[in-house]
């Protein structure tokens, strides 16, 4: 008669309290093997699990946990030493890292007091933790001794199928001899893991946080190589004497990061890659055509000025020079359709052609049109156009919002402006600033929510006097009987 396999594990019980309140301790939980037949084999696997807990650093001046255990024997008699009394400090040279080996102060011997308490680090600077006298490595999900590993997506025991790899090459534009330029290479979205950037030139990689504040190599001052705490992860910055330079981080990042390069010469390309969760990958890169590959648009420098670099602590100053600066900022794409991946990408896009049946664009002028559209439109914005591309039968401008004169809905610092044609009507040029009046467009299926520029939208090249012309237009709208809605926050 074939016996029932008849054994299974019960659910795990709750975790026990942590053995420490700071500095790293251990908690345990157990489960029971439920045997339904006396002749069945026992359950396979561990009955008890340990995990690290309370990993936050203790307050400044707190005593080391192993040192605290040694100090508990201070001035206590040791029988084998004829009741001699000593003060004890940790000794790390013993054969077993999980034995409480303590050195007698002022003496040349140590004594073994038995096992250390659970949760004690095996060695100074080690991530191993002692449990029942055994040194267990911190494994997947903070579980001690776990054989499973996190995949590149950060999933314990995963198969690298919940995220996707994005990889590209950035080439600096043509440089003016004797100048230094900060160019933005890319925006690395929040949630990125296994970030790796490499360069082999006389240029310097730089990094900004989401607020565009420099963290590494900013303001024309070069930091020393080392490890930097950035966006909830550690970024390892390396630079060798032969100009090989890299930035690496395991992640996941908690905020967007802007990868920059301080360009001193034309380079052969900056290689960069990172992994994003599937939903965020398609949000940022999903609209790229498999035929066209994945690309980044390089935009030439917009203006230049002379600056004496500021010298900061722990930095290497860069020579005074004429600086040419541009800051194109990456922004998510909102087409989440699934497409075949193509990693052989470069960073230039072909210019789209204008169809022959476009005709002449309508130009909207005059004070009356300015007031009417200001009152009727949902958004009145001062924007700087960063890039332009054709998406299907529409044109999409990537714009930085400089000033918000009017908004009926929340506006981000960075927005896409959509034009429902590819006829350059209205026509906007990259790296120029405009005042635009636009509508909010939400389609019937509620899948689109965007800022729409119509062919007859009021567009003006921005000049400082535009700020004055916008003042008082709310009152003009009230005089003409327009009912203004309250602006949304954002």
């Amino acid at each position: 008669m074939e016996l029932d396999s008849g054994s299974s594990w019960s659910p795990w019980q709750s975790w026990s309290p942590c053995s420490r309140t700071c500095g790293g301790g251990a908690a345990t939980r157990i489960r029971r093997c439920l045997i339904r037949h006396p002749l069945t084999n026992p359950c396979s696997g561990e009955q008890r699990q340990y995990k690290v807990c309370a990993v936050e650093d203790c307050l400044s001046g707190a005593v080391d946990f192993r040192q605290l255990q040694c100090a508990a024997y201070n001035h206590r008699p040791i029988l084998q030493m004829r009741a001699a009394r000593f003060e004890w400090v940790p000794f790390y040279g013993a054969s077993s890292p999980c034995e409480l080996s303590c050195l007698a102060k002022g003496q040349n011997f140590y004594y073994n007091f038995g096992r250390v308490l659970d949760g004690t680090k095996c060695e100074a600077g080690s991530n191993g933790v002692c449990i029942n006298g055994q040194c267990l490595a911190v494994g997947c999900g903070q579980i001690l001794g776990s054989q499973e590993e996190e995949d590149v997506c950060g999933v314990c025991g995963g198969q690298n199928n919940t995220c996707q790899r994005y990889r590209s090459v950035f080439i600096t534009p043509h440089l003016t001899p004797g100048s230094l330029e900060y160019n933005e290479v890319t925006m690395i979205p929040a949630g990125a893991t296994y970030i790796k950037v490499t360069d082999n030139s006389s240029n310097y990689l730089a990094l900004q946080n989401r607020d565009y504040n420099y963290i590494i190599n900013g303001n024309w001052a070069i930091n020393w190589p080392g490890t930097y705490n950035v966006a909830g992860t550690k970024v390892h910055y390396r630079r060798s004497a032969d100009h090989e330079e890299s930035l690496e981080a395991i992640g996941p990042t908690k905020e967007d990061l802007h990868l920059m390069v301080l360009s001193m010469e034309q380079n052969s390309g900056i290689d960069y890659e990172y992994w994003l969760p599937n939903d965020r990958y398609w949000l940022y890169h999903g609209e790229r055509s498999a035929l066209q590959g994945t690309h980044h648009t390089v935009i030439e420098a917009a203006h230049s000025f002379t600056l004496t670099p500021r010298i900061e602590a722990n930095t290497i100053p860069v020579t005074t020079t004429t600086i040419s600066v541009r800051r194109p900022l990456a922004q998510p794409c909102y087409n989440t359709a699934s497409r075949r991946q193509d990693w052989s990408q470069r960073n230039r896009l072909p210019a789209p052609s204008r169809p022959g049946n476009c005709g002449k664009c309508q130009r909207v002028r005059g004070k009356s049109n300015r007031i009417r559209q200001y009152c009727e439109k949902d958004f009145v914005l001062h924007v700087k156009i960063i890039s332009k591309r054709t998406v299907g039968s529409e044109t999409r401008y990537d714009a930085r919002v400089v000033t918000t004169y009017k908004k009926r809905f929340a506006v981000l610092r960075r927005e896409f402006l959509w034009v429902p044609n590819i006829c350059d009507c209205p026509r906007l040029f990259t790296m120029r600033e405009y005042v635009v009046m636009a509508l909010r467009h939400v389609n019937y299926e509620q899948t689109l929510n965007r800022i729409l520029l119509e062919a007859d939208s009021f567009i003006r090249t921005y000049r400082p006097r535009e700020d004055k012309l916008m003042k008082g237009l709310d009152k003009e709208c009230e005089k003409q009987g327009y009912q203004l809605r309250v602006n949304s926050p954002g």
Side-chain angles (χ1 to χ4, degrees), residues 400-446:
R400 178 165 63 89
V401 178
V402 180
T403 305
T404 303
Y405 300 113
K406 173 191 172 184
K407 58 177 180 179
R408 290 178 175 168
F409 306 94
V411 176
L412 301 176
R413 184 173 180 177
R414 195 65 178 272
E415 291 283 2
F416 284 146
L417 307 179
W418 290 87
V419 177
N421 65 66
I422 55 174
C423 294
D424 285 337
C425 297
R427 189 178 188 186
L428 306 178
F429 294 92
T430 58
M431 304 311 295
R432 293 190 186 179
E433 298 183 30
Y434 297 90
V435 171
V436 299
M437 299 185 182
L439 289 172
R440 180 197 188 202
H441 171 230
V442 179
N443 65 350
Y444 179 78
E445 295 83 4
Q446 302 288 313

Side-chain angles (χ1 to χ4, degrees), residues 63 111 169 241 286 299 303 344 348 354 385 417 427 430 448 466 485:
V63 180
Y111 188 81
V169 178
I299 303 167
H303 56 275
S344 59
R348 287 183 173 84
R354 189 174 191 264
I385 303 301
L417 307 179
R427 189 178 188 186
T430 58
L448 292 177
E466 291 291 335
R485 286 172 280 179

